[in-house]
């Protein structure tokens, strides 16, 4: 009898986890870590929403409120969203999608997790000692001169965590270039691989600029003079240039992987090939590259030159083209598909709707004159939450459900899953749609008190947030439940295409017993039956019979 | 990455060229060329970079991907410098903004 | 495949060529991130030199061109010995490798010593930005910006040199202990790429800071 290779989960010692080189285990380490940061940042959000139920600042002082939105922003952006799909799902799935045994540099992969932990500890240290009140953007001169909070330790935390994302990006790029299975040509890659490659490009080229910028800001804070200091001819707007050179592309770190996941989900649950594969793949790369030349739209009212503003406005419009291509192609893929509304599909459909709203309101903000009206209002807050939460978090949840059987070997409970997806969708819209109206009516962001006429919308928003909270808590509970009591999953419970489904669930340590050979494009769902098309070689065999 | 071992002559020639370029850039700095001083200095530095990358860093014998990776670094630095400077250069263009 | 390369090949790779090209590509991608890391400082230089060029020329005049030229020459020499060190490792010349790695480290340390003297000189001349800054020129406030950028950029560069020197010493010890042999030359090749990169950065810093106001 042939010996079955051991599942990657077989070893149970703490040592086997903390010293693992296995990309799948490292993905799980990241998952556990980001859940902690998500929870802390969510508590901050909940406190803010509760404060905003009444127009008076009666729950927290303005100073505490400033610290709440800062910690919410810093943790959600750098310690949850940026590692969410790339470092968790990407780490787990990418090598399997390529038919590889592991990433190119497994030891560096583990190192990236430890660096991430170190960054997280610094950020938490800052939080415990009183937090930071600058907002997640750390604008100078407030951060470098005037703020009396723990700016440096928080910036150091972000600086350190940045290197973990650089290492992940570098590792993914080399893995995609060098570790593809025989026959897996570039245009046979699953679209998640394309989007993770594009994401890695941004991580590698943008993150170091953030690192040096935060370092310069911190040196200025310690030394008393610095590069952004007007006393010696410096310009605080330069900080904004450098900060947004990273942070705008970082928005694409927070949406591109989500787009990749959605491409996987849409094809699988409508049993169809993706419409216009080449366009969707190229759109990922176009978004990554164009994302680097639009940062000035965050600075329309910051004192940047008008001509610069016009150019950044036009360039920002251009990014909407590849984004729209993706939305059209997903919709066209759904057309005439045999659609099943499993939980991951509900999240994917939710993603398309919410991302479209977020993207279109982004165009409002890219228009110079409209932006002057809504800058620093709740309109902006609603817009980027539609992208980052409505887009990325929905995609992350969808992907987590989709690959959960692969990761754990167990199915999640389907009914509870659908319920949670619905609750999340409703709660999200109730939370953030009223904020568009609030912002348009003139409610500025980052205030703990406000005129009474805005109260109605704030109450709607807080009510929505509590529903959203339930929507996130529910999966947490049933995922835990499923680990012990969930139905045992087969190797390919969704009858999906893709190399990751050709291994057992959970996969053995080196993923494949034998390196697979790829002979055709991805998403080869038969147009009539919706089943996976038989492989070329096999087809010849049957016709011979 | 190459599989052949590179001959010492190439390294020595490369080193010689780099030293000549160093002397050249110092000499050029003492000439009064106006704005061309800066342009010339940067051109010499770029040439030195190319020599170091091609021969010492073996990129001449490396694949297309290495050229792309090395080029990407420079291209993205160019994006950062060009679009940031674009703001500062055009700030004075609008007369009302002078106040 | 002989047994020597067998142990060198990591389990995630199929062939040694695949592993070598992955290592090289990974390092080049890392160097691209290093370019962008220094990029923030270059952007600062570009913006402020554009905004007040004459202050920059006047301030640059206070740096010692000869010292800068010697710095450059020392680093170019170290790049040459580094290139030969990689070659020696590939040829399996153990003692030659150790010697060349050691000489490279000595050049690197020499660079740091010369630069240390320069910093000391600038300190005594009150050219360090902050309370004790003193500058006889048209615009002493904005002259501080030149020196701030100079100290930040060369400081970051010197930190890279320091890391490089430590790296060379570690490699020399590993060659001595035969942990690095001809089959494992890739470790030295990768470290070499880093070393040459640090040299390239200086190739730009020298004209931007020392030569801007040479006339």
């Amino acid at each position: 009898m042939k010996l079955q290779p051991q599942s990657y989960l077989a070893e149970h010692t703490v040592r086997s986890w903390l010293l693992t080189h296995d990309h799948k285990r490292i993905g799980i380490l990241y998952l556990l870590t980001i859940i902690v940061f998500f929870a802390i940042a969510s508590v901050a959000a909940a406190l803010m929403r509760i404060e905003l139920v009444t127009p008076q600042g009666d729950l927290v002082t303005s100073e505490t409120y400033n610290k709440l939105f800062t910690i919410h922003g810093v943790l959600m952006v750098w310690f949850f969203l940026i590692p969410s799909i790339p470092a968790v799902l990407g780490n787990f799935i990418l090598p399997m999608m390529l038919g590889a045994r592991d990433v190119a540099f497994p030891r560096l992969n583990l190192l990236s997790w430890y660096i991430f932990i170190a960054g997280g500890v610094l950020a938490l240290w800052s939080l415990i000692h009183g937090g930071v009140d600058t907002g997640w953007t750390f604008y100078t001169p407030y951060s470098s001169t005037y703020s009396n909070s723990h700016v440096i330790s928080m910036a150091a935390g972000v600086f350190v965590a940045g290197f973990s994302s650089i290492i992940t990006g570098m590792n993914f790029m080399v893995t995609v270039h060098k570790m593809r299975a025989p026959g897996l040509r570039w245009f046979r890659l699953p679209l998640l691989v394309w989007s993770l490659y594009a994401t890695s490009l941004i991580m590698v080229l943008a993150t170091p600029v953030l690192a040096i910028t935060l370092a310069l800001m911190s040196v200025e804070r310690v030394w008393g003079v610095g590069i952004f200091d007007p006393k010696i001819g410096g310009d605080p707007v330069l900080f904004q240039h450098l900060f947004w050179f990273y942070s705008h592309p970082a928005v694409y770190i927070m949406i591109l992987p989500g787009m990749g996941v959605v491409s996987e989900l849409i094809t699988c649950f409508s049993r169809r090939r993706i419409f216009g594969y080449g366009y969707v793949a190229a759109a990922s790369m176009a978004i990554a590259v164009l994302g680097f030349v639009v940062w000035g739209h965050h600075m329309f009212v910051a004192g940047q030159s008008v001509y610069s503003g016009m150019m950044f406005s036009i360039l920002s419009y251009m990014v909407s083209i590849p984004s729209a291509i993706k939305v059209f192609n997903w919709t066209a893929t759904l057309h005439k598909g045999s659609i099943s509304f499993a939980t991951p599909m509900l999240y994917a459909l939710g993603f398309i709707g919410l991302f479209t709203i977020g993207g279109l309101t982004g165009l409002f903000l890219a228009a110079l004159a409209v932006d002057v009206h809504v800058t620093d209002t709740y309109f902006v807050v609603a817009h980027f939450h539609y992208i980052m939460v409505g887009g990325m978090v929905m995609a992350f949840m969808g992907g987590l459900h989709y690959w959960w059987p692969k990761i754990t070997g167990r199915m999640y409970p389907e009914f509870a899953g659908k319920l949670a997806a619905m609750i999340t969708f409703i709660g999200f819209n109730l939370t953030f749609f009223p904020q568009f109206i609030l912002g348009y009516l003139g409610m500025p962001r980052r205030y703990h008190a406000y005129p009474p006429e805005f109260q109605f919308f704030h109450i709607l928003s807080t009510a929505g947030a509590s529903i959203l909270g339930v929507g996130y808590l529910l999966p947490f509970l049933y995922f835990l439940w499923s680990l012990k009591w969930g139905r045992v999953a087969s190797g390919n419970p969704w009858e999906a295409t893709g190399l990751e489904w050709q291994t057992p669930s959970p996969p053995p340590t080196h993923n494949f017993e034998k390196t697979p050979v790829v002979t055709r494009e991805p998403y080869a769902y038969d147009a009539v039956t919706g089943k996976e098309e038989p492989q070329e070689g096999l087809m010849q065999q049957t016709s011979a019979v | 990455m190459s599989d052949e071992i590179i001959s010492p002559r190439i390294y020595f020639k490369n080193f010689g060229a780099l030293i000549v370029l160093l002397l050249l850039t110092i000499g050029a700095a003492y000439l009064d060329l106006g704005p061309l001083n800066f342009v010339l200095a940067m051109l010499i530095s770029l040439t030195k970079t190319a020599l170091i990358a091609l021969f010492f860093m073996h990129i001449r014998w490396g694949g297309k991907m290495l050229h792309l990776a090395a080029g990407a670094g420079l291209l993205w630095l160019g994006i950062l410098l060009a679009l940031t400077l674009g703001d500062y250069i055009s700030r004075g263009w609008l007369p009302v903004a002078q106040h | 495949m002989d047994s020597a390369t067998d142990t060198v090949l990591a389990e995630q790779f199929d062939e040694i060529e695949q592993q070598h090209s992955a290592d090289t590509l990974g390092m080049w991608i890392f160097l691209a991130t290093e370019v962008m890391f220094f990029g923030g400082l270059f952007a600062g230089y570009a913006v402020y030199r554009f905004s007040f060029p004459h202050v920059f020329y006047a301030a640059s005049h206070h740096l010692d061109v000869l010292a800068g030229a010697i710095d450059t020459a020392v680093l170019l020499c170290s790049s040459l010995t580094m290139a030969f060190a990689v070659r020696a490792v590939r040829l399996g010349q153990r003692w030659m490798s150790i010697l060349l790695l050691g000489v490279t480290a000595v050049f690197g340390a020499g660079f740091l010593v010369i630069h240390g003297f320069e910093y000391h000189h600038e300190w005594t001349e009150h050219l360090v930005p902050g309370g004790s800054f003193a500058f006889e020129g048209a615009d002493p406030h904005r002259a501080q910006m030149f020196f701030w950028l100079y100290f930040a950029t060369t400081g970051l560069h010197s930190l890279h040199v320091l890391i490089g020197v430590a790296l060379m010493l570690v490699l020399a010890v590993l060659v001595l202990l035969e942990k690095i042999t001809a089959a494992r030359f890739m470790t030295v090749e990768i470290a070499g790429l880093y070393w040459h990169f640090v040299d390239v950065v200086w190739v730009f810093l020298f004209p931007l800071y020392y030569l801007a106001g040479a006339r």
Side-chain angles (χ1 to χ4, degrees):
Chain A
M1 210 182 95
K2 207 163 72 89
L3 208 67
Q4 277 289 321
Q6 252 193 345
S7 141
Y8 81 101
L9 293 168
E11 254 190 290
H12 285 300
T13 58
V14 174
R15 195 188 141 86
S16 75
W17 279 93
L18 292 182
L19 296 180
T20 184
H21 292 171
D22 186 337
H23 65 100
K24 300 184 284 302
R25 285 185 165 219
I26 294 168
I28 289 177
L29 290 176
Y30 266 112
L31 177 64
L32 298 175
T33 320
I34 67 169
I35 288 173
V36 173
F37 289 115
F38 181 79
I40 299 169
S42 298
V43 169
L47 287 172
M48 282 190 283
R49 281 318 323 166
I50 295 168
E51 160 61 49
L52 292 169
V53 170
T54 58
Q56 306 80 26
D58 34 21
L59 179 67
V60 293
T61 61
S62 56
E63 225 170 295
T64 312
Y65 188 81
N66 291 349
K67 289 177 176 174
L68 285 175
F69 69 67
T70 304
I71 200 68
H72 173 72
V74 170
L75 291 188
M76 280 295 192
V77 169
W78 284 298
F79 295 95
F80 174 70
L81 282 169
I82 286 192
S84 64
I85 291 184
V88 176
L89 295 177
N91 251 329
F92 197 95
I93 299 299
L94 181 86
M96 280 197 264
M97 281 188 153
L98 299 174
R101 287 190 285 275
D102 208 321
V103 290
F105 308 112
R107 269 190 298 180
L108 281 180
N109 202 13
L110 179 65
L111 178 69
S112 86
W113 181 70
Y114 279 105
I115 292 177
F116 183 70
I117 294 285
V121 166
L122 278 168
L124 290 181
W125 189 91
S126 167
L127 175 66
I128 291 164
H129 283 76
V132 181
D133 61 355
T134 62
W136 77 284
T137 48
F138 296 107
Y139 273 10
T140 55
Y142 185 69
S143 59
S144 57
T145 311
Y146 302 107
S147 171
N148 285 315
S149 55
H150 294 80
V151 176
I152 292 179
S153 49
M154 187 64 83
V158 174
F159 178 93
V160 171
F163 285 93
S164 120
S165 98
I166 289 174
I167 293 175
T168 303
M170 187 271 278
N171 218 337
F172 282 5
M173 287 181 88
V174 177
T175 306
V176 174
H177 274 288
K178 302 293 178 190
M179 314 282 285
R180 301 193 306 277
L184 190 54
R185 296 197 296 259
W186 279 89
F187 284 95
R188 286 176 178 170
L189 289 173
L191 289 164
L192 178 61
V193 175
W194 275 102
S195 71
L196 283 173
Y197 185 84
T199 308
S200 304
L201 186 79
I202 302 174
M203 286 175 157
V204 160
L205 290 168
T207 316
V209 179
L210 173 76
I212 191 72
T213 310
L214 292 179
L216 290 173
M217 180 270 288
S218 301
V219 172
E220 181 169 335
R221 195 175 162 84
V222 174
W223 202 342
V225 285
I227 181 173
F228 308 118
D229 185 354
K231 273 203 305 286
I232 63 168
D235 182 9
V237 176
L238 178 63
F239 176 88
Q240 300 186 20
H241 273 299
L242 297 177
F243 179 82
W244 289 112
F245 179 87
Y246 163 78
S247 288
H248 192 77
V251 174
Y252 298 108
I253 301 179
M254 294 181 251
I255 193 67
L256 272 169
M259 292 171 158
V261 167
V262 167
S263 301
E264 300 295 320
L265 301 182
I266 294 284
T267 47
C268 173
F269 292 100
S270 55
R271 317 307 301 169
R272 288 205 64 197
R273 286 159 199 266
I274 191 92
F275 180 86
Y277 171 88
Y279 287 95
V280 182
S284 289
M285 297 307 291
I287 290 172
V289 174
L290 283 174
F292 274 97
V293 294
V294 301
W295 79 78
H297 66 220
H298 294 270
M299 303 161 57
F300 284 159
V301 298
Q304 170 185 239
S305 101
V306 179
Y307 299 99
S308 217
M310 287 181 206
M311 191 187 56
F312 278 123
S313 174
I314 294 165
L315 289 169
S316 305
Y317 273 91
M318 280 168 58
V319 188
S320 68
I321 298 170
S323 310
I325 286 176
K326 281 180 178 264
V327 173
F328 290 138
N329 285 12
W330 292 324
T331 319
T333 307
L334 290 171
H335 181 64
K336 287 191 176 170
S338 35
I339 297 169
S340 56
F341 295 99
T343 310
M345 185 62 160
L346 292 182
Y347 280 110
L349 294 174
F351 172 99
I352 296 180
L354 299 180
F355 172 73
T356 306
I357 297 176
L360 285 176
T361 50
L363 288 179
F364 298 8
L365 292 167
L368 277 166
V370 181
D371 185 69
V372 172
H373 175 57
V374 290
T375 288
D376 272 344
T377 67
Y378 266 77
F379 192 89
V380 178
V381 175
H383 155 71
F384 71 72
H385 280 89
Y386 262 79
I387 300 286
M388 284 149 78
V389 185
M392 188 69 161
V393 181
M394 291 292 264
F396 179 64
M397 293 304 285
L400 202 56
H401 283 84
Y402 181 62
W403 284 294
W404 189 254
K406 184 56 63 184
I407 295 171
T408 62
R410 300 279 182 163
M411 297 300 288
Y412 60 87
E414 186 61 40
F415 176 75
K418 281 182 182 158
L419 190 68
M422 302 286 219
I423 292 174
T424 307
F425 186 78
I426 294 167
F428 175 83
N429 279 301
L430 190 57
T431 311
F432 292 104
F433 201 83
Q435 297 188 3
F436 278 124
I437 304 167
L438 269 177
Y440 202 79
L441 294 177
M443 166 86 203
R445 65 193 282 204
R446 296 182 166 175
Y447 278 81
H448 77 311
Y450 54 87
E453 62 260 36
F454 293 132
Q455 191 178 15
F456 173 68
F457 294 108
H458 272 303
I459 288 178
L460 282 185
S461 187
T462 302
S466 45
I467 297 174
L468 191 58
V470 175
Y472 289 143
L473 207 58
L474 207 54
F476 182 74
L477 297 176
Y478 65 68
F479 274 145
L480 280 181
W481 176 88
S482 77
L483 289 179
K484 198 158 169 61
W485 293 286
R487 193 159 49 79
V488 173
S490 69
N492 187 2
W494 310 114
E495 299 189 328
T497 63
L499 294 177
E500 80 269 28
W501 299 109
Q502 293 181 15
T503 69
S505 302
T509 304
H510 284 308
N511 301 341
F512 301 94
E513 270 184 82
K514 229 179 79 197
T515 305
V517 178
V518 182
T519 55
R520 61 179 175 196
E521 82 254 50
Y523 318 116
Y525 295 103
D526 188 88
V528 183
T529 61
K531 291 259 179 1
E532 185 176 359
E533 273 182 358
Q535 297 251 15
E536 267 170 49
L538 294 173
M539 229 152 53
Q540 281 163 2
Q541 258 183 357
T542 40
S543 59
V545 171
Chain B
M1 218 271 317
S2 63
D3 280 328
E4 63 194 296
I5 310 268
I6 289 129
S7 111
R9 281 220 342 262
I10 294 181
Y11 287 149
F12 279 123
K13 272 190 195 164
N14 195 37
F15 178 71
L18 287 167
I19 294 292
V20 170
L21 284 169
L22 168 62
L23 297 174
L24 212 64
T25 191
I26 296 170
Y30 287 93
L31 301 175
D32 191 359
L33 303 170
L36 278 183
N37 268 114
F38 175 74
V39 177
L40 192 63
M42 285 301 101
L43 280 179
I44 294 176
S45 292
L46 282 171
T47 315
K48 281 159 108 179
T49 304
L51 288 179
I52 294 174
L54 283 172
F55 299 105
F56 283 163
M57 297 170 94
H58 303 156
I59 205 170
R60 185 179 178 284
W61 300 277
K64 245 191 321 202
M65 263 320 294
L66 298 190
H67 296 139
L68 224 65
L74 287 180
L75 179 67
W76 257 262
L77 181 62
I79 294 175
L80 172 64
L81 296 180
L83 289 183
T84 306
L85 263 183
D87 170 22
Y88 289 85
I89 291 170
S90 59
R91 269 191 205 176
W93 289 358
L94 204 64
V96 263
Q98 295 294 340
H99 295 281
Chain C
M1 208 183 299
D2 56 88
S3 61
T5 51
D6 218 24
T7 52
V8 174
L9 186 63
E11 58 189 4
Q12 70 273 22
F13 294 108
D14 291 322
E15 292 155 357
I16 196 78
E17 289 75 25
Q18 183 192 21
Q19 179 175 341
H20 282 171
S21 65
D23 288 350
T24 328
L25 180 61
M27 192 60 193
W28 275 98
I29 293 174
F30 173 73
L31 293 184
T33 74
E34 282 274 29
V35 170
M36 297 310 288
F37 193 60
F38 279 94
L41 287 161
F42 282 121
Y45 180 92
V47 163
Y48 297 129
R49 180 168 170 167
F50 170 80
S51 302
F52 31 89
H54 294 289
V55 179
F56 265 50
Y57 302 150
S60 162
H61 209 69
H62 287 255
L63 296 181
D64 186 349
V65 175
L66 181 65
I70 295 170
D71 286 335
T72 317
V74 168
L75 279 186
L76 288 177
C77 290
S78 77
S79 262
L80 182 70
T81 55
M82 182 74 236
F84 275 114
V86 175
R87 189 170 181 277
V89 173
R90 287 191 75 168
L91 292 172
Q93 301 164 334
R94 186 158 154 243
W95 291 106
M96 193 55 158
S97 312
I98 295 169
L99 179 73
L100 284 164
L101 288 168
V103 171
T104 309
V106 168
F107 277 128
F111 172 88
L112 291 173
V113 169
I114 301 170
H115 222 109
F117 279 114
E118 286 178 65
Y119 283 153
H120 178 76
H121 179 72
E122 283 135 13
W123 172 259
T124 53
E125 297 270 295
H126 300 285
L127 294 176
V128 178
S132 65
F133 186 82
F135 185 79
E136 297 138 35
D139 201 341
H141 288 292
R142 294 199 290 189
Q144 283 188 75
M145 181 58 84
F146 176 87
F147 287 102
W148 204 94
L149 282 165
Y150 162 77
F151 282 108
T153 317
T154 56
L156 185 64
H157 177 262
S158 294
L159 180 67
H160 277 78
V161 176
L162 188 66
I163 293 169
V165 170
L167 207 61
M168 290 308 128
L169 296 177
V170 171
L171 288 178
V173 172
L174 289 177
V175 175
L176 183 71
L177 298 174
E178 294 190 310
K179 299 272 186 207
I180 291 179
T181 51
R184 288 185 185 273
F185 80 97
M186 210 56 207
T187 317
V188 185
E189 166 94 20
I190 296 288
L193 290 179
Y194 171 81
W195 189 271
H196 297 305
F197 168 78
V198 174
D199 192 5
V200 165
V201 173
W202 184 261
V203 158
F204 284 91
L205 297 191
F206 175 55
L208 288 177
Y209 288 97
Y210 291 80
L211 296 179
R215 268 176 294 115

